[in-house]
Amino acid sequence: MFNLVIFGAPGSGKGTQSERLIANYGLYHISTGDVLRDHIKRGTELGKIADSYISDGKLIPDELMINILADVLDKNADATRNGVIFDGFPRTIEQAKALKVMLAERGSQVNVVIGLEVPDEELIDRLVKRGKESGRSDDNLETITKRLEVYHSQTSPLRDFYVAEGLYAAIHGSGSIDDIFADIRKAVDARK
Ligand code: AMP
């Protein structure tokens, strides 16, 4: 089992590079943002709660988010057997600690954290562009700014957490999608 965390700010290319990783390594992809947007689309109770946080650019509270992820892992026990790409989770130190416990309970661990590093100005440009096409309620300038603040205060400390664990692979996330993926492959293959 090979578990990979794809890590980076909103707009850093996690979704795009996840598609390449799925195609190349046959891993099961869990995007917590996609899971939440699916609940919102279906109008579930969870979707209503998630919507209020997402539209405001805030993180869903840790306890709720950790339970959602545990549920996705349990419901897809077979499909996740070869390993998982965690996209958008963890986003806090508490989530990272919970992920470690959850995987250990399943006889597994995080094998590598791919950190896509992109300057803020480029992130804003990309997200504003994406907003024109995606129709996402959180891809407008006000919410984008808030999401980046949340990223810097709550999520970026995870970089040091995973560096200390010896799992962090820094990837220069500007440039062509192919070149970035070539660097990701090198980092993944070095740990397989
Ligand atoms: P994403 O599609 O990964 O950019 O996620 C969109 C939004 O979903 C985020 O801005 C958060 O409001 C929420 N979200 C997704 N994943 C998490 C997480 N691991 N913890 C808390 N909130 C999350």
Side-chain angles (χ1 to χ4, degrees):
M1 192 170 184
F2 189 86
N3 294 305
L4 181 156
V5 172
I6 187 141
F7 178 79
S12 59
K14 299 189 294 292
T16 305
Q17 295 297 342
S18 288
E19 285 172 22
R20 302 284 176 108
L21 285 164
I22 298 163
N24 275 267
Y25 295 99
L27 301 173
Y28 188 78
H29 179 230
I30 300 176
S31 153
T32 43
D34 285 350
V35 171
L36 297 170
R37 281 184 290 275
D38 181 57
H39 275 276
I40 294 172
K41 206 165 75 192
R42 290 188 285 120
T44 66
E45 274 312 305
L46 173 59
K48 283 175 201 147
I49 297 168
D51 197 16
S52 62
Y53 287 98
I54 292 180
S55 320
D56 212 15
K58 292 186 185 147
L59 297 185
I60 276 69
D62 281 336
E63 195 187 342
L64 178 59
M65 201 63 237
I66 290 163
N67 286 336
I68 295 168
L69 186 77
D71 190 51
V72 174
L73 286 176
D74 285 342
K75 289 203 169 116
N76 297 285
D78 270 354
T80 57
R81 195 171 295 143
N82 287 337
V84 175
I85 300 164
F86 293 94
D87 169 0
F89 189 102
R91 262 179 156 97
T92 62
I93 299 278
E94 190 163 336
Q95 290 181 16
K97 288 181 179 162
L99 181 61
K100 196 169 177 177
V101 173
M102 270 188 263
L103 291 176
E105 282 167 359
R106 292 164 175 81
S108 187
Q109 73 284 310
V110 171
N111 296 89
V112 65
V113 175
I114 297 294
L116 296 172
E117 304 193 345
V118 179
D120 270 14
E121 314 80 72
E122 192 174 335
L123 294 170
I124 294 169
D125 273 0
R126 288 185 188 179
L127 289 166
V128 168
K129 264 188 211 128
R130 184 173 81 185
K132 292 188 179 131
E133 292 148 22
S134 71
R136 273 176 59 159
S137 65
D138 55 352
D139 280 347
N140 58 75
L141 193 54
E142 193 190 338
T143 313
I144 289 167
T145 309
K146 221 172 192 181
R147 285 159 68 205
L148 285 177
E149 280 167 20
V150 167
Y151 172 78
H152 288 298
S153 61
Q154 294 181 259
T155 305
S156 66
L158 278 176
R159 187 187 195 282
D160 286 346
F161 176 92
Y162 282 123
V163 168
E165 300 250 313
L167 293 173
Y168 191 82
I171 303 288
H172 185 61
S174 302
S176 86
I177 293 172
D178 286 344
D179 289 347
I180 296 166
F181 187 65
D183 288 344
I184 293 176
R185 272 192 91 137
K186 275 185 220 148
V188 173
D189 293 343
R191 287 164 196 264
K192 275 213 118 198

